[in-house]
C-alpha cells in the first residue's frame, strides 16, 4: 500500500486491525515535525504509545534494540502489538528488526518521512542494525504489513536530504528502467508519481526474490563501494551510493562493455550535484577491508553488481583490489 496517511486511517479501521495495540517508534526529529500530522490524520493512532530513539545511525545498535524490546515487555505488548515506524531509513530499519525479533515476529507499518526511506529502506523487508563497526551486519528479511508514502513529509526536509533520496531513485532506474533514468537526470523536480513508481519497481524486484539470492541483488548497484565510502568519509548514505555508482559504472566500462557515454552522462550529472571526493592510495587501502566485509562477497573476493547497459545489470561480478584502486583513483 502506498497511499497517504488518510488511506492508512481507512485501512486501520478495518476488522483485521481491531485488536491491534499500536506503538509508534520515532526519533526527536519526527517527534517534532511529523508526529502531529500522523496523529491528526490517522484516528486509530491517537491513543498509541510511542518510543523515542536516537537520531540517525546511532539508533541502529543492539543496545537500542534491546531497550525497545524491554519497553515492549514492560508495557505487556503481545502478539497483537503493531510497531509503527515513522522516520527515515534508520528508524524503519530498527523498527523492522525489533518487530521481527519480538514474540517471534509481530506486525509493523513503515511510514517513511524522508525521500530516501520512501524509495529504499521502507520497501522490501530488509531490516538490520549495525554491529562490530559494520553497517547492517545483523538483520532479518521481514516485510512490513503496510508501507505508507505521504508526500507532505517531504516539505520538512532540507535540500541535502532530498538529494539523498534522489540518488537512490536514480540507482533503481539505472538497473530497471532506462526511460525513468533519463527523466530523473533531465530535471531536478521529483514528482510523487516518480516516487511511487520507484517504490513499485523496488517492490516488484524484492517480491520476486525476498531473501536476496538472485535478482534482488541488482538493487545493490553501487552499494559495495558506497557503504565503504559512507563509513570512511562519513557521507550521507544516498550521496555515498551515488559515488559508489560512479565507481561501478567505471568498472562496468572496463570489464563488461558498458558504453562510456553512459558513464560520462552519469558522471556529469553527479558532479553537478555534489563535490566529488578525491581519494589517495592510503585512503583506498583503508576502505578495501570495508568492501571485503560486504555481505555479497564470497571466498574473500569482492563481488559487485555491474552494468552491461542501462536496465541490464550483471550480478556477482568478481572485482580485484587493483581494479577497485584504479576506479577509486578516477573519482575526480
Amino acid at each position: 500500500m502506498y497511499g497517504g496517511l488518510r488511506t492508512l486511517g481507512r485501512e486501520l479501521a478495518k476488522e483485521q486491525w481491531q485488536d491491534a495495540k499500536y506503538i509508534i517508534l520515532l526519533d526527536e526529529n519526527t517527534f517534532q515535525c511529523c508526529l502531529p500530522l500522523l496523529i491528526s490524520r490517522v484516528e486509530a493512532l491517537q491513543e498509541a504509545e510511542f518510543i523515542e530513539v536516537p537520531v540517525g545511525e546511532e539508533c541502529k545498535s543492539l543496545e537500542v534494540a534491546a531497550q525497545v524490546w524491554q519497553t515492549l515487555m514492560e508495557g505487556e505488548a503481545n502478539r497483537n502489538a503493531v510497531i509503527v515506524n515513522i522516520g527515515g531509513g534508520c528508524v524503519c530499519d530498527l523498527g523492522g528488526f525489533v518487530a521481527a525479533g519480538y514474540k517471534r515476529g509481530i506486525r509493523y507499518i513503515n511510514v517513511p518521512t524522508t525521500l530516501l526511506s520512501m524509495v529504499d529502506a521502507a520497501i522490501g523487508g530488509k531490516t538490520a542494525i549495525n554491529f562490530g563497526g559494520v553497517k547492517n551486519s545483523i538483520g532479518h528479511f521481514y516485510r512490513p504489513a503496510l508501507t505508507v508514502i505521504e508526500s507532505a513529509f517531504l516539505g520538512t526536509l532540507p535540500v541535502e536530504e532530498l538529494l539523498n533520496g534522489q540518488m537512490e531513485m536514480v540507482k533503481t532506474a539505472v538497473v530497471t528502467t532506462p526511460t525513468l533514468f533519463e527523466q530523473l537526470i533531465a530535471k531536478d523536480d521529483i514528482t510523487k508519481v516518480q516516487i511511487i513508481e520507484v517504490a513499485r519497481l523496488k517492490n516488484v524486484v524484492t517480491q520476486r526474490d525476498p531473501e536476496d539470492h538472485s535478482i534482488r541483488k541488482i538493487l545493490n548497484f553501487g552499494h559495495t563501494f558506497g557503504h565503504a565510502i559512507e563509513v570512511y568519509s562519513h557521507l550521507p548514505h544516498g550521496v555515498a551510493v551515488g559515488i559508489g555508482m560512479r565507481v561501478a559504472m567505471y568498472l562496468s566500462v572496463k570489464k563488461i562493455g558498458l558504453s562510456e557515454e553512459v558513464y560520462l552522462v552519469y558522471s556529469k550529472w553527479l558532479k553537478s550535484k555534489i563535490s566529488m571526493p578525491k581519494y589517495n592510495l592510503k585512503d583506498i587501502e583503508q576502505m578495501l577491508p570495508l568492501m571485503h566485509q560486504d555481505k555479497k562477497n564470497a571466498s574473500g573476493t569482492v563481488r559487485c553488481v555491474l552494468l552491461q547497459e542501462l536496465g541490464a545489470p550483471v550480478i556477482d561480478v568478481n572485482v580485484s583490489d587493483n581494479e577497485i584502486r584504479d576506479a577509486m583513483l578516477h573519482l575526480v
Side-chain angles (χ1 to χ4, degrees), residues 1 31-32 45 64 74 134 139 167 205 207 219 227 231 234 242 254 310 325:
M1 182 186 89
F31 179 81
Q32 294 177 351
L45 300 181
V64 173
E74 290 174 354
V134 181
M167 294 292 176
V205 172
Q207 284 187 328
L219 298 173
H227 280 164
V231 171
H234 305 289
K254 295 289 185 179
L310 289 173
R325 291 183 184 103

Side-chain angles (χ1 to χ4, degrees), residues 56-309:
E57 292 287 332
E58 187 181 343
C59 80
K60 289 176 56 176
S61 70
L62 194 56
E63 292 76 18
V64 173
Q67 291 168 9
V68 177
W69 282 322
Q70 184 66 36
T71 302
L72 292 173
M73 292 182 68
E74 290 174 354
E76 300 182 350
N78 58 25
R79 290 295 304 277
N80 290 325
V82 178
I83 296 177
V84 180
N85 302 316
I86 177 166
C90 292
V91 170
C92 292
D93 279 353
L94 172 68
F97 178 83
V98 167
Y102 189 72
K103 304 287 185 182
R104 297 193 177 95
I106 60 174
R107 290 177 292 179
Y108 73 101
I109 297 169
N110 280 335
V111 185
T113 58
T114 65
L115 180 57
L116 179 59
S117 58
M118 289 177 186
V119 298
D120 185 31
I123 310 293
K126 276 188 177 180
T127 74
I129 58 170
N130 306 330
F131 188 77
V134 181
K135 185 178 174 68
N136 297 334
S137 55
I138 300 179
H140 307 274
F141 293 101
Y142 191 66
R143 298 181 75 87
L146 299 170
T147 296
V148 179
I149 294 178
E150 175 54 68
S151 58
F153 290 136
L154 297 179
T156 68
L157 301 177
V159 173
E160 294 79 9
E161 280 295 333
L162 292 172
L163 179 61
N164 261 326
Q166 191 175 15
M167 294 292 176
E168 196 71 35
M169 291 177 72
V170 168
K171 186 254 353 224
T172 300
V174 161
V175 297
T176 61
T177 315
T179 53
L180 181 58
F181 168 75
E182 291 163 4
Q183 292 172 14
L184 289 172
I185 67 169
K187 52 185 179 180
D188 288 335
D189 293 336
I190 300 170
T191 67
K192 184 175 181 179
V193 172
Q194 290 171 332
I195 296 170
I196 296 293
E197 177 61 9
V198 170
R200 185 193 68 81
L201 287 167
K202 178 169 183 180
N203 195 46
V204 167
V205 172
T206 58
Q207 284 187 328
R208 288 178 59 188
D209 180 20
E211 296 188 359
D212 214 2
H213 296 304
S214 56
I215 189 173
R216 184 172 181 154
K217 293 181 181 181
I218 69 174
L219 298 173
N220 292 320
F221 183 68
H223 281 62
T224 297
F225 314 110
H227 280 164
I229 292 167
E230 179 182 0
V231 171
Y232 182 77
S233 300
H234 305 289
L235 290 171
H237 174 76
V239 170
V241 167
I243 299 167
M245 284 193 285
R246 188 177 175 206
V247 175
M249 283 193 187
Y250 178 89
L251 289 167
S252 298
V253 172
K254 295 289 185 179
K255 290 180 68 70
I256 62 172
L258 175 69
S259 165
E260 189 171 8
E261 182 182 358
V262 173
Y263 168 72
L264 293 174
V265 167
Y266 177 74
S267 296
K268 181 180 179 181
W269 176 81
L270 184 64
K271 288 179 179 180
S272 74
K273 295 293 182 182
I274 65 171
S275 297
M276 292 299 300
K278 185 174 182 179
Y279 296 116
N280 58 35
L281 279 173
K282 182 179 179 181
D283 297 319
I284 297 167
E285 293 309 305
Q286 293 184 64
M287 281 188 274
L288 280 170
L290 297 172
M291 297 175 195
H292 279 276
Q293 289 173 344
D294 191 277
K295 299 179 292 299
K296 298 173 285 299
N297 296 334
S299 303
T301 301
V302 174
R303 288 183 172 181
C304 60
V305 182
L306 297 184
L307 199 66
Q308 214 158 36
E309 58 184 70

